[in-house]
Amino acid sequence: ASGTIWIVQDRSTFKAAEAEIKNSNEEMAAIFESSTLGIAFIKDRVMIKANSKLEELFGYGQGELCGQPTRCWYPDEESYQSVGDAYSALAQGHTYRQVMKMQHKDKSLFRARLSGCALSADLSRGSVWTVENITAEYEATEAVLRAKEAAEAAEGKLRDSYAELEAANQRLQKLDQLKSDFLSSVSHELRTPLTSIRGFAHLVEREFSRSFASMAEKDAGLTKKSHRIQENLGIVLKESDRLTRLINDVLPKPGLAYSVG
């Protein structure tokens, strides 16, 4: 009589493996979707999968990027080709990193940090790329650099202004010294003859009073002339004293420095 053969297989191990794989896939999907970076899985420069952050970053709707060539990321053919040239480096196990301009769906530009790595050496399994919008960071860095350049330029102008002021101050000091020398010379040239005039006027007035004034008392005409001469000598002495005071007020005494400051 014929019979049947039954095979009994314990599938609990397989079910546990399947559950583990499912959990792992779910964890990877959660990481993929919750990342703060835009992430795309790409084959032959076509987006197979993109997370919501990447769609948001470029301004596309849900699922709109899947199946599109990455050409839509780039504002011009040159930048698109420059990234394409990097795939040979990816095949050798290198990671591509570049800061460059990229474009939103509406063609507006932003600064992005682009990174990519291959899943296998022959690129058959595709590559994973991340995109981060660093426009604010880039503009802040540029602002700091501009501020630094402005500060350095201002510092350079300040140094130039200080040098000009120093040169002007030295010129003023030289002019001040020339003026001081001139006034000292003028003071000496005026004081010397004025001292002589005052001295001789005193001498003449004294000798005239002693020797000639008494002789003129006997003659009315000579007496009148004697008084006039004495008055004139008095005027000479008075005016010489006034001129001496004026020189003392205006001109420095010999040997003293003079400053206009």
Side-chain angles (χ1 to χ4, degrees):
S2 61
T4 59
I5 299 175
W6 294 80
I7 298 175
V8 179
Q9 185 178 14
D10 185 357
R11 296 188 57 83
S12 59
T13 301
F14 294 102
K15 288 185 176 294
E18 288 177 353
E20 186 175 349
I21 291 172
K22 181 180 179 182
N23 290 335
S24 179
N25 289 337
E26 289 175 351
E27 290 175 358
M28 292 299 296
I31 294 172
F32 184 76
E33 285 300 326
S34 63
S35 175
T36 58
L37 301 177
I39 304 175
F41 175 58
I42 296 172
K43 282 187 179 181
D44 298 324
R45 306 202 74 179
V46 174
M47 286 173 276
I48 306 303
K49 191 172 184 180
N51 69 348
S52 57
K53 183 63 179 180
L54 188 75
E55 294 168 336
E56 176 189 341
L57 192 155
F58 282 100
Y60 288 87
Q62 184 177 4
E64 195 175 353
L65 283 175
C66 292
Q68 284 204 46
T70 56
R71 177 64 183 82
C72 65
W73 289 0
Y74 305 97
D76 51 59
E77 190 65 24
E78 182 180 355
S79 57
Y80 175 68
Q81 292 297 336
S82 68
V83 177
D85 295 339
Y87 273 85
S88 59
L90 265 60
Q92 297 174 9
H94 299 295
T95 298
Y96 177 84
R97 292 185 179 88
Q98 182 66 37
V99 172
M100 62 191 307
K101 288 183 179 179
M102 305 189 87
Q103 68 177 6
H104 297 290
K105 182 180 180 180
D106 61 7
K107 306 301 181 182
S108 61
L109 302 180
F110 66 97
R111 289 279 177 176
R113 183 180 291 115
L114 179 66
S115 301
C117 62
L119 297 181
S120 64
D122 62 1
L123 300 179
S124 61
R125 295 177 58 194
S127 56
V128 175
W129 294 79
T130 62
V131 182
E132 180 183 8
N133 189 338
I134 60 166
T135 301
E137 175 187 336
Y138 180 85
E139 290 178 349
T141 301
E142 288 294 302
V144 170
L145 291 175
R146 288 194 297 271
K148 182 179 178 181
E149 290 174 355
E152 290 175 349
E155 183 180 0
K157 290 181 179 179
L158 186 61
R159 284 196 299 266
D160 293 341
S161 298
Y162 177 79
E164 292 175 1
L165 287 174
E166 184 65 22
N169 184 54
Q170 291 178 359
R171 290 194 297 271
L172 286 174
Q173 288 179 352
K174 290 180 180 179
L175 290 173
D176 187 64
Q177 184 61 44
L178 289 173
K179 181 177 287 187
S180 179
D181 293 342
F182 171 76
L183 292 176
S184 295
S185 176
V186 170
S187 175
H188 174 75
E189 295 299 325
L190 288 177
R191 290 177 193 279
T192 299
L194 184 57
T195 300
S196 298
I197 291 171
R198 293 177 69 249
F200 281 111
H202 275 292
L203 179 61
V204 170
E205 193 273 336
R206 186 174 66 249
E207 291 299 324
F208 183 83
S209 297
R210 289 178 181 178
S211 303
F212 298 99
S214 59
M215 295 173 59
E217 291 177 356
K218 298 178 181 180
D219 189 320
L222 290 177
T223 300
K224 186 176 180 180
K225 289 182 179 180
S226 174
H227 289 165
R228 188 181 302 116
I229 290 172
Q230 287 179 314
E231 289 175 0
N232 290 339
L233 288 172
I235 292 173
V236 171
L237 290 172
K238 180 180 177 180
E239 292 302 317
S240 63
D241 288 340
R242 189 173 69 85
L243 186 56
T244 299
R245 290 193 299 272
L246 181 62
I247 292 174
N248 289 336
D249 290 340
V250 175
L251 299 177
K253 293 182 179 181
L256 296 180
Y258 178 81
S259 176
V260 297

